[in-house]
Amino acid sequence: MGEPTEIRTAGIEHAEAASGAGSVDGAVPSVPTPDGASRAARTRSAALRLRIHEQRRNPSRPRVFFELALIGLSYWIYSLVRNAVPEQEAVAQKHASWIWHFEQHLGIAVEHSINHAVNSVTWLIVGMNYYYATLHFIITIGVLVWLYRSHPGRYAAARSVLFVTTGIALIGFYFFPLAPPRLMDGGGFIDTVKVHQTWGSMASGAGAHVSNQYAAMPSMHIGWSMWCGLAIFFLARPLWVRLLGLLYPLTTLMVIVSTANHFWMDAVCGEICLAVGFLAARLIYHQWAYRLPRTPHEPAPDEPVTVPAQWTAPVGASRR
């Protein structure tokens, strides 16, 4: 004998309600998952994670006013911290003596000979003085602008490399004050800016009164110039421009040694800071800075954020 019609209908309606098919608006009910979160919350968090993941792999186009404000604020902090560090002359002189003796032990202490040899060629050393005082900022800003305009998809990662590198350098300035060769007691180095009375250097003359004289380790002239050189080498198209990119940090190395503003070891530590900056950007963006897409993909305003299909499937379907 069959079941009464009313009983059969009620059973069907009960089963449909349990599977979600009987809801009025067709929405998937919020059913707790084993970890206690609702399916709706799980879906929203998944969409957020996917959006963040996509943003890290494919950074959005930078905004000019935000970047200008960020660079201005960062440079202000850089200058403030660098120049506010107490000028511990005794400690800085002791550190300079350590570095100089260490280089002599390694057989690479040639800064004194280079400094005196180049200083004997007036036009060359004067040019190097102006190079040291100006190109450090001009070329770095120029490369940032070029990346912003021509490689917007890679700009954020490359800028992050520069910021991390500089942040590490500030730690070095604070905890390891170092007298540059030109100020080292008994070193016999020539302060080429003072001797040839060239303008523009914060290391000598009037600028010395507003700049920390013992923020020499690591060398950001090398860190920034290598950052510029690698960006040009990997991203520029003409071969001669790419070669100039490689030549720039090498020339900068010769300049900082010839003008007695840095030891070799300052340059080595600057390169180490830059390497850490690249590794940090690699962790953030899941790619090396120059391997990211040249132009970022920007989704349309109504483009949906997709999530795995099984996360949005009806509960009953996932159990069949």
Side-chain angles (χ1 to χ4, degrees):
M1 181 181 296
E3 297 177 348
T5 304
E6 293 82 2
I7 297 177
R8 295 177 61 189
T9 303
I12 294 173
E13 291 175 351
H14 179 72
E16 290 176 344
S19 64
S23 60
V24 175
D25 55 2
V28 178
S30 180
V31 179
T33 56
D35 60 357
S38 68
R39 182 175 297 276
R42 183 178 177 183
T43 302
R44 287 194 297 270
S45 64
L48 179 61
R49 287 198 303 271
L50 286 176
R51 187 176 293 277
I52 294 175
H53 182 74
E54 176 62 21
Q55 174 67 18
R56 292 169 69 185
R57 287 186 176 274
N58 187 17
S60 59
R61 184 177 296 273
R63 301 293 185 264
V64 61
F65 292 110
F66 173 79
E67 294 300 328
L68 288 176
L70 183 62
I71 292 173
L73 177 63
S74 299
Y75 184 72
W76 176 74
I77 295 174
Y78 169 77
S79 300
L80 186 67
V81 174
R82 183 182 187 276
N83 298 332
V85 175
E87 296 191 1
Q88 305 175 38
E89 181 174 357
V91 177
Q93 291 290 347
K94 181 173 65 175
H95 290 166
S97 179
W98 289 355
I99 295 295
W100 186 234
H101 288 2
F102 179 66
E103 289 190 356
Q104 288 176 327
H105 177 72
L106 296 179
I108 60 173
V110 296
E111 292 95 329
H112 185 277
S113 300
I114 294 175
N115 172 236
H116 280 258
V118 177
N119 184 71
S120 64
V121 184
T122 302
W123 65 268
L124 181 58
I125 194 61
V126 168
M128 286 187 171
N129 286 340
Y130 288 127
Y131 180 110
Y132 183 88
T134 59
L135 292 189
H136 178 52
F137 300 103
I138 294 174
I139 293 185
T140 303
I141 293 173
V143 172
L144 276 170
V145 172
W146 171 62
L147 290 172
Y148 179 88
R149 292 176 58 88
S150 300
H151 299 269
R154 297 159 179 156
Y155 172 84
R159 179 250 289 148
S160 298
V161 172
L162 188 64
F163 281 19
V164 171
T165 301
T166 306
I168 298 173
L170 289 177
I171 298 174
F173 297 157
Y174 190 89
F175 289 103
F176 196 85
L178 176 70
R182 61 185 178 78
L183 294 180
M184 187 175 69
D185 292 340
F189 288 91
I190 300 171
D191 188 338
T192 59
V193 171
K194 182 180 295 185
V195 168
H196 297 279
Q197 299 181 344
T198 51
W199 59 265
S201 175
M202 297 297 289
S204 300
H209 300 293
V210 296
S211 177
N212 180 15
Q213 295 296 285
Y214 303 116
M217 171 69 81
S219 169
M220 281 299 93
H221 270 75
I222 287 298
W224 289 12
S225 66
M226 181 61 78
W227 176 85
C228 293
L230 290 176
I232 294 171
F233 176 76
F234 283 112
L235 300 180
R237 291 184 179 180
L239 179 60
W240 67 272
V241 175
R242 298 176 65 191
L243 293 177
L244 284 178
L246 292 181
L247 185 62
Y248 175 51
L250 295 176
T251 305
T252 301
L253 177 61
M254 180 57 66
V255 166
I256 66 173
V257 172
S258 299
T259 57
N261 278 289
H262 289 283
F263 295 101
W264 290 117
M265 294 308 299
D266 300 347
V268 171
C269 290
E271 298 291 16
I272 293 173
C273 292
L274 182 64
V276 175
F278 273 107
L279 289 174
R282 175 67 173 80
L283 292 175
I284 295 171
Y285 294 97
H286 299 296
Q287 277 283 10
W288 296 111
Y290 306 133
R291 294 180 63 87
L292 288 164
R294 177 173 182 169
T295 303
H297 166 66
E298 296 183 347
D302 58 347
E303 181 176 330
V305 177
T306 58
V307 297
Q310 63 269 24
W311 288 14
T312 57
V315 176
S318 62
R319 296 177 178 175
R320 293 172 186 169

